[in-house]
Amino acid sequence: MLKCLTSLFSSKKTANSSDDTSLNTDNNNVANAPVNKTEKTSRFQPKMEISQDLLDEIKNWEIIELPRRIYHGCQSSDTSVDIQKLTLIGNKWFSTSMHYAGSYAWHFMRNANPPANSRYCLKLSSSKVWRGIKRPDDFKDLPHFLSKCFKLSGYNNSFQFQHTLQLHLHELFGRDSDIIGYYWADGGDGNDEICIPECQEYYKVESATLLPDEKEEFDKEFGNK
């Protein structure tokens, strides 16, 4: 999920799915980093509570229009994904870069050795223009800040942010607001990141592109997309 973090459903599946991944880190570009070196950890259980420190910070952030077309990398075994039905549910991370988003099909929190033809990049779109909070370009030390907000360790701060973002946005702007997500334009590598809670309410999956089984082949084929 967040570039700056170095460690950061019955018939209706829950938003806190086992395929949660956070995006890139300030010090480690996921598109080029070693992948899948650990087994998946047990599913994180967020505390659904407000952080006043987080509210006080994001209430001052610029409000911008979110992109209408976005991408999400996944594996077909992810509990929030149905490749055949072209559906994705829950609190998810996206990018307007297909290569950057697709790289997360190899994220170290996912299955390191899935069956062949298991990795996909979803293309999603929205017929409506939604808005989000834009992280300031000079807001650098997010890991320390989230640790202060949530009092968790490493990667769990990223997960907590992902799963309580909607709660904080509703607190600030109301449940009926069109401000639905978080946007970071560029962490220094030219790639943007977008977090959208309950993404199925706002974006629809247009297509699912089957990715190569090998990361090197994926980079070669999709590196400029």
Side-chain angles (χ1 to χ4, degrees), residues 27-146:
N27 301 320
N28 187 18
N29 188 328
V30 169
N32 300 312
V35 293
N36 297 137
K37 288 198 171 183
T38 61
E39 294 297 323
K40 290 173 62 176
T41 58
S42 59
R43 184 164 62 183
F44 175 72
Q45 298 296 328
K47 301 175 182 178
M48 300 308 293
E49 56 191 28
I50 293 287
S51 163
Q52 191 60 48
D53 287 332
L54 182 57
L55 281 182
D56 290 343
E57 174 59 38
I58 65 176
K59 71 181 181 182
N60 300 312
W61 289 6
E62 179 185 0
I63 305 300
I64 54 95
E65 292 184 353
L66 295 173
R68 295 176 69 173
R69 177 164 293 172
I70 53 180
Y71 296 91
H72 176 79
C74 63
Q75 294 183 6
S76 56
S77 60
D78 291 351
T79 58
S80 57
V81 174
D82 190 316
I83 297 297
Q84 300 301 318
K85 296 181 179 180
L86 292 180
T87 59
L88 175 70
I89 67 173
N91 311 321
K92 300 301 175 185
W93 287 90
F94 305 89
S95 178
T96 58
S97 165
M98 182 177 182
H99 176 246
Y100 182 67
S103 295
Y104 283 82
W106 284 266
H107 193 277
F108 71 87
M109 294 294 287
R110 297 189 189 279
N111 186 353
N113 297 294
N117 300 322
S118 293
R119 294 182 171 96
Y120 287 83
C121 187
L122 308 181
K123 179 170 70 174
L124 300 90
S125 65
S126 174
S127 60
K128 177 178 177 178
V129 177
W130 299 99
R131 298 191 296 163
I133 54 171
K134 179 180 181 292
R135 174 179 163 181
D137 295 337
D138 60 356
F139 194 93
K140 302 298 183 182
D141 198 3
L142 193 57
H144 176 77
F145 176 68
L146 292 182

Side-chain angles (χ1 to χ4, degrees), residues 1-8 20-24 44-47 49 51 53-54 93 109 141-165 168 182 195:
M1 151 176 131
L2 304 172
K3 289 189 180 75
C4 57
L5 293 176
T6 54
S7 63
L8 277 134
D20 291 337
T21 57
S22 68
L23 291 189
N24 202 359
F44 175 72
Q45 298 296 328
K47 301 175 182 178
E49 56 191 28
S51 163
D53 287 332
L54 182 57
W93 287 90
M109 294 294 287
D141 198 3
L142 193 57
H144 176 77
F145 176 68
L146 292 182
S147 179
K148 174 185 175 183
C149 292
F150 300 133
K151 308 297 190 297
L152 299 172
S153 60
Y155 215 75
N156 285 339
N157 288 303
S158 170
F159 286 144
Q160 184 69 12
F161 176 81
Q162 174 180 349
H163 290 300
T164 63
L165 176 59
H168 288 84
Y182 158 99
C195 183

